[in-house]
Amino acid sequence: MPRDEHKNVEIRDARREQILNAAAKVFARRGMAAAKISDIAQEAQLSHGLVYHYFKSKEQIFVTLVKKASESSIEVVNEAKQLKGTPIEKLKWMTETILKGIVTGDRIYLFLIMIQASTSDAVPEEVREILTNSANSPVAATIPIIIEGQAEGEIIQEDPMKLAVAYYAFIQGLAINKIQWHECPMPDANIILSVFLMRAGEDQDAVRDQ
């Protein structure tokens, strides 16, 4: 690829990312239904025409953000699976990575995008298709780590699906709190995972039968 063309690709990618980051903030504050392209353009400090050059509608932007959030979540889980160590060590790394994203980056807005995508009647049909595809579900992707942890006696013997749902509900709640209360203190990863840990000397069959 010629140098000038390579530079142009870099510029287009950067501009596209600028628009997506601005849109994530706008959607998080206003919701998909109430947000306008003009709001996104103002947040990105770009002209309406330039935003429309990259995206034909706010719906297309929202779908792109949902895909980005879904892929980002799955990427973290899959990376954790490849790490050496026990299942709990993998979950701890995963939790620390997610919490860091909530505290230090714009990724926090993607959590609210996913919540809107899951609860709003106004989202495009393509978003519903993304959410109903189990391949895009971080909950489903996390279940094998939980099952492995149960087999090794690290994680309590409860329904793995329920544990995964509880884990992500915890994470989403923290993201919402951080947006509403900027100074909200984030718990250590160990605090989150302590809910799922087997206690020393605890009989797994006894826990399962409770």
Side-chain angles (χ1 to χ4, degrees):
M1 180 184 297
R3 181 178 300 178
D4 289 346
E5 180 61 23
H6 179 73
K7 186 65 175 179
N8 289 337
V9 170
E10 288 184 343
I11 292 173
R12 288 196 296 269
D13 289 346
R15 191 70 75 208
R16 181 181 172 87
E17 194 66 19
Q18 180 181 356
I19 294 170
L20 289 174
N21 288 338
K25 296 176 183 179
V26 172
F27 287 136
R29 291 195 301 262
R30 294 178 174 269
M32 204 281 289
K36 301 176 182 177
I37 287 289
S38 59
D39 300 323
I40 297 171
Q42 182 177 3
E43 181 70 34
Q45 297 183 335
L46 299 172
S47 68
H48 287 57
L50 190 55
V51 173
Y52 276 119
H53 176 73
Y54 287 92
F55 298 96
K56 64 182 181 181
S57 66
K58 70 174 183 180
E59 288 78 12
Q60 185 185 26
I61 297 176
F62 191 83
V63 169
T64 303
L65 284 170
V66 170
K67 289 180 179 178
K68 181 179 179 180
S70 178
E71 291 169 359
S72 177
S73 298
I74 294 295
E75 182 179 338
V76 172
V77 179
N78 288 338
E79 192 170 347
K81 289 178 179 178
Q82 300 303 316
L83 296 175
K84 294 182 179 180
T86 68
I88 283 297
E89 288 171 340
K90 294 176 182 180
L91 285 174
K92 182 178 180 181
W93 176 88
M94 193 171 85
T95 306
E96 289 173 343
T97 301
I98 294 172
L99 291 179
K100 183 178 179 180
I102 291 176
V103 173
T104 63
D106 289 338
R107 183 175 290 186
I108 185 173
Y109 295 105
L110 295 181
F111 283 96
L112 289 191
I113 294 296
M114 292 302 286
I115 292 172
Q116 288 183 31
S118 302
T119 59
S120 174
D121 292 334
V123 299
E125 183 60 33
E126 188 175 353
V127 168
R128 302 185 195 281
E129 293 174 0
I130 294 171
L131 296 179
T132 55
N133 186 344
S134 60
N136 299 321
S137 169
V139 170
T142 303
I143 287 175
I145 303 179
I146 293 175
I147 292 174
E148 183 184 357
Q150 291 176 325
E152 296 188 12
E154 291 185 329
I155 297 177
I156 57 176
Q157 294 295 322
E158 296 290 345
D159 184 330
M161 172 67 81
K162 292 181 180 179
L163 292 179
V165 168
Y167 174 82
Y168 283 101
F170 207 149
I171 295 295
Q172 287 180 339
L174 290 173
I176 292 172
N177 283 346
K178 192 64 176 177
I179 287 179
Q180 294 177 334
W181 175 24
H182 184 68
E183 301 303 323
C184 175
M186 288 289 102
D188 184 270
N190 290 324
I191 295 177
I192 297 175
L193 295 178
S194 66
V195 178
F196 309 105
L197 291 178
M198 288 289 295
R199 292 185 290 273
E202 194 168 40
D203 182 77
Q204 294 192 40
D205 292 330
V207 172
R208 184 171 54 246
D209 293 339
Q210 286 180 357

